[in-house]
Amino acid sequence: MRLVTRQLTASGTSLVVMERYAPECNISVQTTVSGTATYSVQFTNDDVFAAGYSEAAGTWFNYAGASGATATTFLGTTVPVTAIRLNASAVSGALTMVVNQAGIGGL
């Protein structure tokens, strides 16, 4: 998977769907705060491609290192998930998330 970048300039969410069929699961997530922000990085195993799926009604869990965060963070996991999202309750400036999923060749 190529690096995926999401940026929020106001409160809200931004979702990144992970590759379910990767032979390995090595995911890193970096967030950068320019200004001020309060946010969480969250993950789910919901089927985000299911007919009628609603992100707002999904089951989301906070990553321990980025729950209610206000500063730049970096986290990694080897646990497979279907999606990762940036969930900001407040942003003044910009909040950027970069997701890297290693183990997928040729992309």
Side-chain angles (χ1 to χ4, degrees):
M1 182 169 114
R2 294 184 177 162
L3 292 177
V4 178
T5 301
R6 298 287 188 258
Q7 187 174 76
L8 296 173
T9 56
S11 62
T13 63
S14 188
L15 178 91
V16 176
V17 176
M18 306 311 297
E19 173 56 61
R20 292 178 22 176
Y21 301 107
E24 301 173 14
C25 180
N26 297 296
I27 301 168
S28 65
V29 180
Q30 170 184 305
T31 61
T32 305
V33 177
S34 297
T36 60
T38 303
Y39 67 95
S40 296
V41 176
Q42 301 175 312
F43 63 93
T44 189
N45 269 328
D46 290 350
D47 182 357
V48 297
F49 292 115
Y53 177 75
S54 166
E55 179 186 345
T59 303
W60 293 92
F61 301 92
N62 292 327
Y63 277 107
S67 176
T70 57
T72 295
T73 61
F74 184 89
L75 58 94
T77 185
T78 57
V79 177
V81 298
T82 58
I84 293 174
R85 77 174 177 178
L86 187 58
N87 185 357
S89 58
V91 179
S92 176
L95 172 60
T96 305
M97 175 177 74
V98 178
V99 178
N100 184 16
Q101 183 178 13
I104 304 169
L107 297 179

